[in-house]
């Protein structure tokens, strides 16, 4: 009985622990498998990390799978597919992060060529983190796996990772991984550190360690120095909570030490570039419980100079010592040497070396970037608009000019979207580019009013709106500025003759869209309605060249719906039906009229009103004239003069008995066109 209880308790503990483990799961992770199909995701069978497709993070590139020759059984799934970028010089991934600006991330890009293009020649290309060069990816051979990793304090809430074609083959990428780090880890004066080495010193397991041994998913490579003794423990390091580095217990529970306590523990590396600057992070935890007469205490020297100490690692509790300023040289050598008081040798559990990446180029103002991204998605701009807008200068976005000052973020001074096929209104996002001096939106299909918010552009010198079907008035503040010469406003030409550059504009703002709808729908409605009249005119024209519509013309009027009911005798006789409307015969002021009742939902009130105004204005002998209209809520009615002679179709087809001659048919076409020209 006791045994069963104990067994159940064990199960409970195991469940509780596994729940805790999964609760801390991948919360600060973004894991992208580049090139897999858009709607797919999977859990890696080894790491259990969930990978998603890259479609939401890049707009360009093509998906490719590696050659099966390089698909070994141990190859991680992230390398099965790649995204290749055969087009364009610079292609970017943009990743928005919930925990963005000011947060610290480990960002890892992985590459394996695997002859995905069947060429057998691995490319060489550059990698950028935002505006800063991250490194050059040199693939070497088909099966070589290249991993580039940085520790990066994000300058903005989203990051851009760009692949740049340098003329040695199309760039491609296999995977992108982001891991949120604690703010208090890897603290240096630099925002961008590239991983040089991350070593699990004294490893006894002969394999790399990553998630979920390492909850930050760092990849620790086992490394054993010759001539040093391995120390290990079965106890757990950092069991009572971890330090800010979240070091994996399995890495910290092994270490190296010297056989002779008075010997130094030494290691060194030879940088390719002696001017390269490195930061080092040394991770320690004592793995032996010391007796009262024992002391492990040592000093650390870098190239013979004092670096840190005296230092005593805590038992099963990790401590990280790091460089306060970057180091460089032809050979960077570290030496750990016990103090005179100590009777135990120095120890080292793990170490990381990072290369400081230059971040000299200033980037673009974040507000400007946000505004441009919004403009891009608003109009669906198809240009080279990827990565940072202003940097590097060789990849300046088309249509932009930036101001460059090393001390402050770059600002946008010119936005030239002339002839860019923009459709829709002028978006107020433009007004958020507050340092804009030149704004050229000419020769697009921009409609609607000029937004008042453009007045926010205090530095604006040129505003070019020519050749757009814009309507309404220019904001008065801009007009004021153009009067004293501080701003040049270019309007008119092409489509936007209706745009008035002064406050003398009529109050009523008509919309171009409404006009279009009105014209098109009027045309369709009239084409059907007038066909009847045209035939009549054709027949009468010989005797009576000009039709006088006489008294009816003065009686165009607005009627109530009950009057409509009355004149049609409660819609007694339907004489026609079209896509938009039903037509009833009516009697108004002793004349017969055609009462067209528009089906609801076909047109909105505004469109209807526009059509009525248009029809009331237009007079042509080849068009039936509008007698009156009714619009009450959803009841939209047009009243036309009634012409009782059948419709055009009947006459053209001859179903009415009289067949039209070719000459008459020609005349019908010409007259139709003349009526249409009135618009
Ligand atoms: C992904 O979409 C394709 C078609 O768009 C579909 O055939 C396929 O079944 C989808 N796959 C998944 C995993 O939903
Ligand atoms: C891409 O974004 C859409 C919309 O936000 C989302 O529904 C979809 O799941 C995302 N796809 C992937 C692979 O993350
Ligand atoms: C790689 O091999 C695995 C089986 O080991 C298979 O499921 C997968 O489809 C292969 N991938 C490619 C791209 O050939
Ligand atoms: C991270 O720490 C720095 C100081 O070390 C601080 O300025 C910054 O605001 C912190 N960032 C976050 C996201 O907490
Ligand atoms: C590919 O290159 C890597 C690193 O240079 C090397 O370790 C590996 O043996 C090479 N593989 C082949 C098949 O040549
Ligand atoms: C570690 O693994 C490699 C290859 O898998 C093997 O050659 C080597 O002998 C192993 N080392 C130890 C100490 O087991
Ligand atoms: C240390 O590692 C060795 C080799 O893996 C193992 O045999 C030994 O039991 C380990 N010692 C402790 C204290 O865990
Ligand atoms: C340890 O090294 C010191 C100095 O190098 C030497 O004097 C001493 O004999 C060595 N001890 C042993 C046990 O080898
Ligand atoms: C340690 O001992 C050596 C010689 O045994 C001596 O030269 C050195 O000054 C001592 N260091 C300290 C800090 O006492
Ligand atoms: C915008 O670009 C067009 C050519 O694409 C050019 O004619 C025009 O002058 C430019 N506008 C400005 C303000 O630079
Ligand atoms: C405006 O759009 C129409 C069709 O939607 C197109 O024919 C015309 O070329 C466009 N005008 C401009 C200036 O892009
Ligand atoms: C023109 O007028 C605007 C506002 O009316 C004013 O802000 C601006 O300084 C004036 N510029 C010049 C050159 O007079």
């Amino acid at each position: 009985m006791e045994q069963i209880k104990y067994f159940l308790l064990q199960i409970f503990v195991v469940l509780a622990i596994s729940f805790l483990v999964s609760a801390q799961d991948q919360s600060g992770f973004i894991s992208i498998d580049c090139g897999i199909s858009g709607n797919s995701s999977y859990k890696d069978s080894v790491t259990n990390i969930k990978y998603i497709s890259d479609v939401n993070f890049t707009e360009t590139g093509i998906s490719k799978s590696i050659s099966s020759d390089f698909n070994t059984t141990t190859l991680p799934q992230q390398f099965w597919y790649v995204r290749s970028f055969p087009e364009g010089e610079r292609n970017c991934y943009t990743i928005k992060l919930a925990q963005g600006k000011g947060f610290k991330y480990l960002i890892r890009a992985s590459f394996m060529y695997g002859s995905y293009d069947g060429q057998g020649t691995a490319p060489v290309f550059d990698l950028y983190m935002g505006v800063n060069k991250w490194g050059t990816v040199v693939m070497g051979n088909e099966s070589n796996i290249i991993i580039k990793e940085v520790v990066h304090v994000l300058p903005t809430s989203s990051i851009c990772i760009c692949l740049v074609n340098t003329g040695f083959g199309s760039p491609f990428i296999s995977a992108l991984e982001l891991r949120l780090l604690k703010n208090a880890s890897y603290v240096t004066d630099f925002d961008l550190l590239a991983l040089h080495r991350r070593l699990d010193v004294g490893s006894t397991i002969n394999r790399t360690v990553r998630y979920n041994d390492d909850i930050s998913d760092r990849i620790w490579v086992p490394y054993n120095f010759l001539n040093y003794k391995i120390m290990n423990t079965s106890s757990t390091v950092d069991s009572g909570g971890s330090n800010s580095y979240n070091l994996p217990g399995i890495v910290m529970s092994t270490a190296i030490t010297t056989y002779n306590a008075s010997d130094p523990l030494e290691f060194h590396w030879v940088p390719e570039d002696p001017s390269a600057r490195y930061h080092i992070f040394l991770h320690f935890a004592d793995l032996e419980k010391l007796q009262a007469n024992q002391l492990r205490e040592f000093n650390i020297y870098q190239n013979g100079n004092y670096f840190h100490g005296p230092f005593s690692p805590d038992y099963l509790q990790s401590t990280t010592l790091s460089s306060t300023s970057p180091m460089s040289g032809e050979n960077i050598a570290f030496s750990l040497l016990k103090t005179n008081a100590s009777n135990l040798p120095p120890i080292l559990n793990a170490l990381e070396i990072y290369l400081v990446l230059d971040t000299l180029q200033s980037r673009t103002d974040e507000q400007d970037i946000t505004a441009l991204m919004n403009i891009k998605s608003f109009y669906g701009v198809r240009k080279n608009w990827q990565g940072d807008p202003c940097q590097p200068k060789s990849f300046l976005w088309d249509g932009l000019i930036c101001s460059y000052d090393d001390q402050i973020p770059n600002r946008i001074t010119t936005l030239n979207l002339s002839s860019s096929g923009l459709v829709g209104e002028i978006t107020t996002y433009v007004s958020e580019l507050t340092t804009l001096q030149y704004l050229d939106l000419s020769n697009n299909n921009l409609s609607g009013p000029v937004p008042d918010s453009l007045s926010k552009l205090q530095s604006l010198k040129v505003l070019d709106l020519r050749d757009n079907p814009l309507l309404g008035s220019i904001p008065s503040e801009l007009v004021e500025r153009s009067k004293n010469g501080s701003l040049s406003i270019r309007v008119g030409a092409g489509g936007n003759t209706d745009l008035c550059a002064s406050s003398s504009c009529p109050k009523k703002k008509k919309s171009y869209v409404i006009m279009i709808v009105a014209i098109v729908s009027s045309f369709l409605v009239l084409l059907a309605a007038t066909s009847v009249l045209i035939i009549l005119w054709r027949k009468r024209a010989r005797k009576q060249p000009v039709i006088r519509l006489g008294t009816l013309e003065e009686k165009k009027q607005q009627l109530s719906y009950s009057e409509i009911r009355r004149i049609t005798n409660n819609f007694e006789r339907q004489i026609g039906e079209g896509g938009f409307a039903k037509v009833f015969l009516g009697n108004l002021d002793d004349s017969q009229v055609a009462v067209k009742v528009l089906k609801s939902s076909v047109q909105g009130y505004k469109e209807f009103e526009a059509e009525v105004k248009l029809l009331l204005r237009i007079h042509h002998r080849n068009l039936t004239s509008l007698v009156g209209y009714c619009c009450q809520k959803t009841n939209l009615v047009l009243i036309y003069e009634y012409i009782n002679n059948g419709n055009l179709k009947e006459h053209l087809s001859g179903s009415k008995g009289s067949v039209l001659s070719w000459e008459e048919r020609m005349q019908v076409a010409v007259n139709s066109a003349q009526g249409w020209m009135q618009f």
Side-chain angles (χ1 to χ4, degrees):
M1 197 59 198
E2 277 303 300
Q3 271 178 338
I4 290 173
K5 266 190 195 166
Y6 179 68
F7 179 68
L8 287 176
L9 182 68
Q10 265 193 325
I11 287 181
F12 176 74
V13 168
V14 167
L15 285 177
I17 288 172
S18 59
F19 174 75
L20 282 176
V21 167
S22 64
Q24 64 167 19
D25 236 8
Q26 305 176 23
S27 57
F29 286 20
I30 295 179
S31 311
I32 302 168
D33 186 340
C34 307
I36 62 172
S37 72
N39 52 3
S40 65
S41 67
Y42 64 88
K43 269 204 171 125
D44 185 90
S45 57
V46 176
T47 61
N48 221 26
I49 293 171
K50 188 185 173 191
Y51 286 85
I52 58 172
S53 151
D54 60 349
V55 289
N56 283 355
F57 306 103
T58 184
E59 295 159 2
T60 49
I62 50 174
S63 165
K64 290 280 184 180
S65 70
I66 62 161
S67 156
S68 56
D69 300 349
F70 303 98
N71 184 6
T72 59
T73 49
T74 54
L75 184 70
Q77 188 170 346
Q78 295 86 65
F79 296 102
W80 292 358
Y81 290 88
V82 301
R83 180 169 295 273
S84 163
F85 298 95
E87 309 267 337
E89 233 180 316
R90 176 170 74 163
N91 287 278
C92 300
Y93 279 82
T94 303
I95 303 169
K96 288 198 182 71
L97 293 147
Q99 286 149 318
K101 190 171 182 168
F103 285 84
K104 190 171 282 170
Y105 276 86
L106 181 148
I107 302 168
R108 182 160 54 219
S110 311
F111 310 85
M112 191 187 105
Y113 170 56
S115 202
Y116 73 82
D117 54 2
Q119 307 262 305
T121 318
V124 174
F125 52 91
D126 282 350
L127 190 63
Y128 278 78
M129 171 59 68
V131 300
N132 300 301
K133 188 164 169 190
W134 180 349
T136 298
V137 181
V138 183
M139 293 310 307
N141 59 40
E142 290 101 316
S143 58
N144 199 16
I145 289 178
I146 300 277
I147 292 177
K148 294 274 181 190
E149 201 176 294
V150 283
V151 168
H152 188 27
V153 180
L154 302 193
T156 52
S157 55
S158 65
I159 58 156
C160 279
I161 295 160
C162 302
L163 293 88
V164 173
N165 190 329
T166 50
F168 300 97
S170 301
F172 72 92
I173 184 164
S174 304
L176 261 179
E177 297 164 312
L178 287 84
R179 313 289 181 238
L180 182 62
L181 297 173
K182 282 196 178 156
N183 202 14
S185 64
Y186 305 102
V187 174
T188 66
D189 293 338
F190 304 93
D191 287 343
L192 196 53
L193 301 175
L195 181 67
H196 179 64
R197 290 279 183 278
R198 181 182 293 124
L199 304 179
D200 175 6
V201 176
S203 169
T204 55
I205 53 171
N206 197 23
R207 66 165 171 86
T208 57
V209 169
R210 62 180 292 186
Y211 188 80
N212 59 26
D213 289 316
D214 186 336
I215 62 164
S216 300
D217 193 31
R218 284 159 293 200
I219 297 174
W220 299 86
V221 178
Y223 195 87
N224 289 311
F225 293 86
L226 293 173
N227 308 324
Y228 292 119
K229 191 167 90 180
I230 292 178
M231 252 172 101
N232 60 340
T233 180
S234 53
S235 307
T236 313
V237 177
D238 291 332
S239 62
S242 50
N243 71 0
S244 56
Y245 286 83
N246 287 330
L247 296 166
I250 195 165
V251 167
M252 293 306 289
S253 67
T254 62
I256 53 166
T257 183
T258 57
Y259 287 101
N260 183 334
S262 31
D263 284 348
L265 198 163
E266 294 175 322
F267 62 91
H268 72 109
W269 72 97
V270 179
E272 272 177 38
D273 173 6
S275 66
R277 295 173 300 162
Y278 293 91
H279 264 293
I280 191 166
F281 300 87
L282 301 165
H283 307 293
F284 301 97
D286 206 330
L287 306 179
E288 278 175 0
K289 185 126 187 82
L290 305 187
Q291 307 300 310
N293 62 347
Q294 286 183 309
L295 175 65
R296 189 192 310 280
E297 186 186 70
F298 50 91
N299 285 309
I300 303 171
Y301 301 90
Q302 184 230 319
N303 294 75
N305 302 314
Y306 171 83
F307 178 82
H308 207 288
F311 171 68
S312 281
D314 294 330
Y315 177 58
L316 298 182
Q317 196 65 50
S318 58
T319 305
T320 299
L321 300 180
S322 62
S323 42
T324 49
S325 58
M327 310 164 287
S328 45
E330 291 182 349
N331 176 31
I332 302 177
F334 273 82
S335 173
L336 283 61
L337 186 62
K338 79 168 189 66
T339 61
N340 288 353
S342 172
N343 49 17
L344 290 173
I347 182 178
L348 177 63
N349 305 61
L351 80 96
E352 290 174 84
I353 303 165
Y354 289 88
L355 178 67
V356 173
L357 293 184
D358 289 326
T359 53
L360 293 179
Q361 289 181 328
S362 63
R363 69 208 146 69
T364 303
D365 179 75
E366 191 168 12
Q367 186 195 321
D368 282 1
I369 294 181
T370 308
L372 287 169
M373 296 306 277
N374 286 331
I375 292 166
K376 179 183 169 183
S377 64
F378 187 87
Y379 293 118
V381 173
R382 291 191 186 280
K383 290 178 183 282
N384 68 341
W385 283 26
Q386 293 192 51
D388 188 273
C390 306
Q391 297 274 12
K393 288 177 196 171
S394 51
F395 293 108
L396 180 69
W397 287 8
D398 287 344
L400 292 193
I401 297 177
C402 307
S403 67
Y404 295 97
D405 182 332
D406 285 345
Q407 308 308 313
I408 54 168
N410 306 141
R411 300 301 305 262
I412 314 298
T413 57
T414 295
L415 176 62
N416 188 349
L417 287 173
S418 173
S419 311
S420 301
L422 310 187
V423 179
E425 304 210 329
I426 297 179
T427 166
T428 55
Y429 293 130
V430 172
S431 323
E432 284 155 27
L433 296 167
T434 50
T435 55
L436 219 50
Q437 296 174 13
Y438 299 90
L439 176 58
D440 190 343
L441 298 173
S442 63
N443 194 26
N444 286 297
N445 259 348
L446 294 171
S447 52
V450 179
D452 284 340
S453 62
L454 285 184
S455 323
K456 283 203 295 191
L457 302 176
Q458 288 301 325
S459 313
L460 201 61
K461 291 181 186 155
V462 174
L463 173 62
D464 196 338
L465 300 172
R466 286 174 298 174
D467 297 309
N468 281 293
L470 291 160
L471 282 176
S473 57
I474 301 227
S476 55
E477 196 192 318
L478 294 180
V479 174
E480 285 307 304
R481 282 198 255 155
S482 77
K483 278 181 184 159
N484 70 10
S486 62
L487 171 66
S488 153
I489 303 176
R490 297 173 193 160
V491 292
N496 62 5
T497 42
D498 285 320
L499 195 62
C500 36
S502 79
S503 44
S504 65
C505 279
K507 281 258 154 56
K508 203 161 186 117
K509 280 185 189 171
K510 288 181 282 177
S511 156
Y512 185 70
V513 178
I514 292 171
M515 289 292 283
I516 289 275
V517 171
I519 288 169
V520 171
S521 56
S522 306
F523 175 65
L524 294 174
V525 168
L526 285 174
L527 203 61
T530 54
S531 46
V532 176
L533 185 60
I534 288 162
I535 300 306
L536 187 77
W537 279 328
R538 266 304 301 146
K539 301 221 155 177
R540 281 214 238 148
R542 286 165 202 147
K543 292 172 261 168
Q544 207 178 338
V546 178
I547 294 172
R548 296 294 334 146
L549 294 171
T551 53
L552 276 176
E553 202 173 358
E554 275 76 49
K555 287 180 191 155
K556 286 168 187 166
Q557 50 187 293
Q558 186 170 8
L559 288 90
S560 71
Y561 195 65
S562 57
E563 285 175 275
I564 299 288
R565 224 181 251 285
R566 187 176 51 77
I567 65 170
T568 58
N569 202 7
N570 206 13
F571 307 107
E572 186 190 40
R573 232 185 106 193
Q574 183 173 340
I575 54 174
E577 178 161 16
F580 299 78
K582 286 182 176 173
V583 186
F584 299 90
L585 188 65
N587 224 310
L588 181 62
D589 302 324
D590 302 314
S591 307
Q592 283 199 317
V593 285
V595 179
K596 180 172 290 213
V597 182
L598 300 190
K599 292 174 181 168
S600 58
S601 86
V602 171
Q603 284 168 304
Y605 174 80
K606 278 186 175 170
E607 285 85 337
F608 175 76
E609 188 188 41
E611 182 172 339
V612 167
K613 296 222 164 107
L614 193 73
L615 292 175
L616 285 174
R617 272 208 341 258
I618 287 177
H619 309 276
H620 192 268
R621 65 184 189 89
N622 294 357
L623 298 177
T624 45
S625 72
L626 186 69
V627 177
Y629 63 96
C630 158
C631 74
Q632 277 181 334
K633 294 185 184 122
T634 55
N635 297 317
L636 309 177
V637 181
L638 295 172
I639 304 161
Y640 293 94
E641 184 186 0
Y642 178 62
I643 291 123
N644 183 13
N645 216 339
N647 69 28
L648 180 62
K649 192 178 164 195
E650 287 165 343
H651 285 275
L652 288 177
S653 67
S655 64
K656 270 270 166 171
S658 66
V659 179
L660 295 177
S661 70
W662 282 113
E663 198 185 88
E664 287 169 315
R665 283 163 194 261
M666 198 64 186
Q667 198 59 45
V668 168
V670 169
N671 288 347
S672 286
Q674 279 174 357
W676 172 237
M677 290 297 282
Q678 276 291 292
F679 296 96

